[in-house]
Amino acid sequence: MVLSSDGLVNRTVAAREVMQMTLQNSPDANRGRWYATVGSAVQSRLCEAYVKEPYPTNQQMEKLTREVRAPSVECIKTFYKCMQIKAQELCGH
């Protein structure tokens, strides 16, 4: 869950919804995002991992890379960076 605030109203946003927001309106960028092209089961696993730990260690990201069979740990780092940036945008930063 991510806290979203516009200064007047606070709400929580599900990780899956945040992930979908990272993919909106950027088809060119999505071609370079591994997580944009994987199936929903892998996307769900990525979101579960994000909810559990939004700022994982390199060791945790390497483990997740193996679990979801990502091509490289850089793919997982990209997912986390996109999620972190979108979460910051949602809370007004």
Side-chain angles (χ1 to χ4, degrees):
M1 295 292 194
V2 172
L3 179 63
S4 172
S5 176
D6 64 3
L8 298 173
V9 177
N10 296 328
R11 72 178 186 101
T12 56
V13 181
R16 181 77 175 189
E17 187 178 348
V18 174
M19 184 196 66
Q20 292 301 322
M21 289 178 195
T22 71
L23 300 174
Q24 288 179 334
N25 303 321
S26 55
D28 291 333
N30 289 347
R31 283 194 283 273
R33 292 182 184 142
W34 169 80
Y35 72 92
T37 62
V38 297
S40 62
V42 173
Q43 288 180 342
S44 292
R45 177 64 187 105
L46 291 169
C47 289
E48 288 170 14
Y50 180 80
V51 168
K52 184 176 178 182
E53 179 53 67
Y55 292 90
T57 64
N58 285 336
Q59 184 178 358
Q60 289 170 314
M61 284 192 276
E62 289 169 4
K63 181 180 177 189
L64 184 58
T65 299
R66 291 187 299 275
E67 286 178 16
V68 298
R69 296 187 173 146
S72 72
V73 73
E74 293 305 316
C75 295
I76 302 302
K77 287 180 180 181
T78 297
F79 166 75
Y80 273 96
K81 183 55 70 182
C82 289
M83 292 290 283
Q84 292 160 354
I85 290 169
K86 185 54 71 177
Q88 289 173 2
E89 290 172 1
L90 288 170
C91 64
H93 296 303

